[in-house]
Amino acid sequence: MPYHKNKQQAFEAAQQGTMEAKEWYDHLVKSDADYGSQLHHLKQEVNEAFEQINNALEVASEKQRKQLEQFRHDLQAIVDEVNMYE
């Protein structure tokens, strides 16, 4: 049972990390005076989320694995978008 709990916790951490990174991205405003600071924080959130996804993938069920790959894809899209404007 603890294994299942850890699997679920790892998945939820990855899901939460991805959602937080998306929220930071959604609120990123290029014209803001603190854009550089916002961008730095976004990059930290994205890196943490990627780490959480990688951790979760180590113990994920097949269904979770598909969702985690989607999270990774979503984060990569954010990275690509941000890099385009830098």
Side-chain angles (χ1 to χ4, degrees):
M1 195 60 112
Y3 176 77
H4 177 74
K5 188 174 181 187
N6 289 344
K7 188 189 315 190
Q8 189 60 33
Q9 284 176 332
F11 177 80
E12 287 171 5
Q15 186 175 39
Q16 182 68 30
T18 301
M19 285 172 33
E20 287 173 15
K22 285 180 175 182
E23 282 177 28
W24 270 95
Y25 176 70
D26 289 343
H27 293 101
L28 193 64
V29 180
K30 291 179 200 65
S31 60
D32 270 12
D34 66 342
Y35 174 73
S37 166
Q38 291 177 18
L39 188 61
H40 178 74
H41 195 95
L42 171 63
K43 287 179 179 180
Q44 284 181 306
E45 291 289 336
V46 167
N47 287 336
E48 285 175 27
F50 272 128
E51 202 172 297
Q52 290 165 328
I53 290 168
N54 289 338
N55 290 342
L57 280 168
E58 290 178 16
V59 294
S61 67
E62 203 49 47
K63 182 181 177 195
Q64 286 175 333
R65 190 171 296 280
K66 287 186 176 106
Q67 289 176 288
L68 290 165
E69 291 297 344
Q70 183 60 51
F71 295 160
R72 182 184 276 167
H73 177 79
D74 293 349
L75 289 173
Q76 190 58 53
I78 289 174
V79 170
D80 293 346
E81 187 78 18
V82 167
N83 286 343
M84 233 186 332
Y85 293 107
E86 279 196 347

